[in-house]
C-alpha cells in the first residue's frame, strides 16, 4: 500500500516519527530545495548538519546552495546515498526521483528500527578516538544519571521499600537541619 505521490506507508510512518519542521504534502516540491533532506540527515548526524546553514527558499540559487551542502556532507561521511544526477533531478522536480531519494533515506536510516542500520549500510567501525559527528543511532540506551543501582532508589534502599522520612524527623532534602 502506498500513500500520496507513491510513497510507501512504512516510509510515511517513519517520516512522521522524525517530527520534521513541515509535513510532507507534495514530495517533489517539498524535497526540491533540499531542506527536508538535510533535516532528515540532521536527525542522524546532529553534530554535522547545522540546520541554520540551510534555507527554505525556492529559488534556484537557494536550492543549489542547500544541495551543495548536502553533497559535501555525504562526501565527508563517505555516504553514497544518491548520485549528483539524482540530486539535480530532485532539485528540478524531475519525475519521481524525490520519492526514490526518500526511500533511500528510509532504507538507510529508518528500516529495521535499529538506528537506521540495515544490511546495505553500516556506520564506520567504532573508533576509540571518537570524532565529532560520529553516527548517532535513532534509539539510544537508557542512562542512569543517579548514583543508585537500578534496583535501588537514591537513598540506597531497595526500590521496592518505602523511603519515607522517619517520624518526627524532617526529610534531609528540605534543607532543614537535624535536631
Amino acid at each position: 500500500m502506498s500513500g500520496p505521490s507513491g510513497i510507501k506507508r512504512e516510509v510515511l510512518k517513519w517520516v512522521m516519527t522524525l517530527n520534521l519542521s513541515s509535513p510532507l504534502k507534495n514530495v517533489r516540491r517539498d524535497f526540491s530545495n533540499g531542506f527536508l533532506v538535510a533535516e532528515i540527515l540532521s536527525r542522524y548526524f546532529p553534530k554535522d548538519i547545522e540546520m541554520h546553514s540551510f534555507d527554505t527558499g525556492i529559488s534556484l540559487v537557494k536550492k543549489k546552495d542547500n544541495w551543495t551542502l548536502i553533497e559535501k556532507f555525504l562526501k565527508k561521511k563517505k555516504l553514497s546515498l544518491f548520485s549528483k544526477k539524482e540530486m539535480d533531478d530532485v532539485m528540478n522536480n524531475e519525475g519521481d526521483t524525490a520519492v526514490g531519494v526518500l526511500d533511500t533515506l528510509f532504507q538507510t536510516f529508518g528500516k529495521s528500527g535499529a538506528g537506521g542500520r540495515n544490511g546495505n549500510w553500516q556506520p564506520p567501525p567504532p573508533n576509540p578516538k571518537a570524532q565529532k559527528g560520529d553516527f548517532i543511532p535513532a534509539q539510544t540506551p537508557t542512562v542512569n544519571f543517579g548514583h543508585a543501582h537500578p534496583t535501588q532508589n537514591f537513598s540506597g534502599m531497595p526500590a521496592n521499600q518505602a523511603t519515607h522520612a522517619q517520624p518526627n524527623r524532617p526529610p534531609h532534602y528540605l534543607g532543614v537541619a537535624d535536631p
Side-chain angles (χ1 to χ4, degrees):
M1 179 181 261
S2 62
S5 304
I7 302 172
K8 297 175 188 167
R9 182 180 212 158
E10 62 182 342
V11 176
L12 280 174
K13 288 167 85 174
W14 169 69
V15 168
M16 288 174 32
T17 66
L18 296 175
N19 295 321
L20 299 177
S21 60
S22 63
L24 284 180
K25 295 177 184 171
N26 180 328
V27 179
R28 287 172 61 181
R29 183 189 65 228
D30 296 340
F31 270 46
S32 68
N33 69 0
F35 185 84
L36 290 179
V37 173
E39 196 171 6
I40 290 170
L41 291 171
S42 76
R43 296 299 193 260
Y44 296 93
F45 300 93
K47 293 179 181 176
D48 292 314
I49 301 283
E50 297 176 359
M51 289 309 298
H52 66 83
S53 300
F54 292 87
D55 196 305
T56 57
I58 57 171
S59 71
L60 188 57
V61 172
K62 300 294 182 187
K63 290 179 182 183
K64 284 182 179 181
D65 289 345
N66 287 349
W67 281 103
T68 300
L69 289 172
I70 292 169
E71 185 178 18
K72 286 180 183 178
F73 165 77
L74 293 174
K75 283 181 182 177
K76 176 184 168 191
K77 287 296 185 181
K78 297 178 181 161
L79 295 172
S80 55
L81 299 178
F82 19 86
S83 69
K84 174 78 170 131
K85 179 170 180 1
E86 287 174 307
M87 288 187 243
D88 289 340
D89 288 350
V90 172
M91 187 177 9
N92 296 312
N93 294 323
E94 298 289 331
D96 286 333
T97 310
V99 175
V101 165
L102 181 59
D103 192 56
T104 299
L105 291 167
F106 171 72
Q107 294 297 325
T108 304
F109 299 111
K111 192 144 186 160
S112 79
R117 290 176 248 161
N118 64 21
N120 298 327
W121 181 78
Q122 293 290 322
N127 182 353
K129 298 176 184 176
Q131 299 294 316
K132 174 186 171 190
D134 284 346
F135 181 79
I136 297 175
Q139 297 175 342
T140 56
T142 304
V143 177
N144 180 6
F145 291 105
H147 300 288
H149 186 273
T151 61
Q152 297 176 328
N153 61 26
F154 288 104
S155 67
M157 296 178 67
N160 61 353
Q161 292 183 2
T163 60
H164 300 290
Q166 295 177 358
N168 301 325
R169 289 186 74 181
H172 68 282
Y173 56 85
L174 293 178
V176 179
D178 286 334

